[in-house]
Amino acid sequence: MGWTQPIEKEEHDKLARVITVQKNSYRLSDGDMEFLAQVSGKFLHTATGTLDFPAVGDWVVVEKLYDEEKAVIKELLPRTSQFIRQAAGERTEAQLVAANVDTVFIVNALDHDFNSRRIERYILSTYESGATPVIIFTKKDSCTVERLEEVISSTEEIAIGVPVISVSGKTGEGLDQLLSYLPSGKTGALLGSSGVGKSTLINTLLGKEIQETRGIREDDSKGRHTTTHREMFRLPNGALLIDTPGMRELQLWEGEGAMGATFQDVEALEEACRFKDCQHDTEPGCRVKEAMDNGELSMDRFQSYLKLQRELAYEKRKQDQKALMEEKNKWKQISKDQKKKYRAR
């Protein structure tokens, strides 16, 4: 499943890919068989955080028990990409959504779901993950031509250089274009809010009802959570596609390195300011202020840029504080253990 190059039988017997994660249980595939798996005791002992554990899309070294269709995960192979968000709740903790993904399909519906600021967040996180973003608008069959043109135009203004396509999970329109970004041997992931049609897309691409789907409320187009876990599917064209539960919000975990790619228009204007430390307020020769005055740059776009910078800086401070506290607690425990050993002499 998802082998992109020939693999020797000896290696094949040791490797598998994670296709489903549910609590402490994993389902793996080596392309021929599927296995129910858990991590080994050594793996569990050496893991120090959530990012050390396997996620959907990960490659793992395993010991396979063919007769029982089970496996033990011994090692996690290095990732080529990882889409991370801040886990829901009050704790400062990373949540790995998917790993080793080539293309992230940012799925939105052509109804009340459209939100340009949320799209910016997804683009930022996708670039930071190491994957390539593609924006998909679903439910094309229930949208007017005027509405479609308006949404795509608005999106292209903020998603500079990012492909934007519209599809219909019901009629199949636009799916060939989607698959052109997901050829054989590549891995994609569908990310977006509940009710945008991710599971319907999976069913249509597979040609059968695999994922349960539900309707949405007509008054506000809010979807119900249908997909409850992340799962990878093999498409008829040989590509792999990960379906994910709907996200109510995407809280950033990291993204400083991707700000330039996501807001290249804003940063190009900043570089054109007369002063390098321009605050874009009352300074003479401010290219950003000039662009906002003449309509070249919207105030909303610039405010979103500043907001995400502040949010990332705040998140970084929280993570640093957590790391400092963990280090302090570690040495405190070491000190206690040493005292116990001394007293036991």
Side-chain angles (χ1 to χ4, degrees):
M1 181 180 199
W3 304 108
T4 56
Q5 58 185 2
I7 293 178
E8 298 294 332
K9 185 180 187 303
E10 183 179 352
E11 293 182 62
H12 186 278
D13 287 341
K14 296 179 181 178
L15 293 180
R17 198 168 187 192
V18 181
I19 58 175
T20 308
V21 178
Q22 289 183 303
K23 295 185 178 180
N24 300 321
S25 178
Y26 304 85
R27 183 157 295 277
L28 317 176
S29 174
D30 63 8
D32 298 322
M33 287 183 63
E34 291 189 4
F35 304 85
L36 187 64
Q38 292 183 326
V39 297
S40 68
K42 181 180 179 181
F43 190 111
L44 190 63
H45 180 72
T46 56
T48 59
T50 55
L51 298 183
D52 294 332
F53 286 90
V56 174
D58 267 323
W59 290 99
V60 289
V61 177
V62 299
E63 178 185 343
K64 299 175 183 175
L65 309 173
Y66 287 99
D67 293 342
E68 300 178 38
E69 296 183 1
K70 293 182 179 180
V72 178
I73 298 173
K74 301 286 190 177
E75 182 184 347
L76 179 66
L77 295 185
R79 295 166 177 142
T80 59
S81 69
Q82 51 182 20
F83 191 101
I84 304 172
R85 70 167 182 168
Q86 159 67 38
E90 298 298 323
R91 291 189 302 172
T92 301
E93 187 175 67
Q95 181 184 58
L96 180 54
V97 177
N100 300 314
V101 172
D102 299 294
T103 304
V104 169
F105 295 100
I106 303 167
V107 187
N108 302 263
L110 288 164
D111 52 22
H112 303 304
D113 177 68
F114 177 71
N115 185 311
S116 57
R117 305 285 79 87
R118 185 170 63 233
I119 290 174
E120 288 171 340
R121 285 174 171 270
Y122 276 102
I123 293 173
L124 179 67
S125 294
T126 300
Y127 278 134
E128 188 69 25
S129 77
T132 301
V134 173
I135 297 171
I136 296 178
F137 284 104
T138 60
K139 307 180 184 181
K140 185 178 181 180
D141 53 289
S142 60
C143 179
T144 65
V145 174
E146 293 76 18
R147 172 62 176 168
L148 177 61
E149 291 177 349
E150 176 189 348
V151 168
I152 290 180
S153 176
S154 298
T155 303
E156 289 176 341
E157 289 180 6
I158 61 167
I160 301 169
V162 178
V164 181
I165 60 178
S166 56
V167 305
S168 169
K170 291 183 178 180
T171 67
E173 185 179 0
L175 294 187
D176 287 343
Q177 191 177 4
L178 184 160
L179 290 174
S180 69
Y181 295 102
L182 192 62
S184 177
K186 297 296 184 179
T187 302
L190 300 175
L191 271 66
S193 306
S194 297
V196 297
K198 298 188 299 295
S199 296
T200 299
L201 276 180
I202 289 285
N203 291 338
T204 305
L205 289 168
L206 291 173
K208 51 187 175 181
E209 293 291 320
I210 295 293
Q211 295 292 77
E212 181 187 356
T213 61
R214 292 184 184 177
I216 59 172
R217 297 197 298 263
E218 293 296 332
D219 55 344
D220 59 5
S221 294
K222 296 293 183 182
R224 303 184 181 95
H225 286 273
T226 303
T227 302
T228 57
H229 62 276
R230 302 171 188 89
E231 185 169 358
M232 179 187 290
F233 299 92
R234 185 181 181 90
L235 303 183
N237 74 338
L240 301 164
L241 189 57
I242 299 171
D243 191 14
T244 64
M247 297 184 187
R248 289 189 178 90
E249 58 180 336
L250 177 60
Q251 290 183 284
L252 302 178
W253 177 257
E254 55 189 3
E256 297 94 332
M259 286 295 288
T262 308
F263 290 92
Q264 53 189 279
D265 54 335
V266 179
E267 296 205 345
L269 291 170
E270 285 190 321
E271 290 177 5
C273 288
R274 182 183 301 176
F275 302 107
K276 292 300 181 184
D277 60 348
C278 183
Q279 299 300 304
H280 318 305
D281 188 11
T282 59
E283 295 89 344
C286 175
R287 184 68 182 87
V288 172
K289 191 172 184 303
E290 177 189 344
M292 287 192 288
D293 289 342
N294 63 28
E296 184 181 350
L297 175 68
S298 73
M299 175 65 78
D300 286 344
R301 171 77 166 165
F302 184 60
Q303 290 299 323
S304 176
Y305 171 73
L306 297 178
K307 179 183 178 182
L308 290 175
Q309 282 186 322
R310 291 193 298 270
E311 185 174 332
L312 287 169
Y314 173 69
E315 191 58 49
K316 183 68 165 57
R317 289 195 299 272
K318 285 202 304 179
Q319 292 170 25
D320 289 345
Q321 185 177 13
K322 181 188 178 187
L324 184 65
M325 185 62 67
E326 287 175 346
E327 186 72 8
K328 182 178 179 180
N329 290 337
K330 182 183 79 172
W331 286 105
K332 186 183 292 184
Q333 186 62 47
I334 290 174
S335 177
K336 286 182 179 179
D337 292 343
Q338 291 298 325
K339 288 179 181 178
K340 286 182 181 178
K341 289 180 181 179
Y342 179 78
R343 290 168 183 163
R345 288 179 180 179

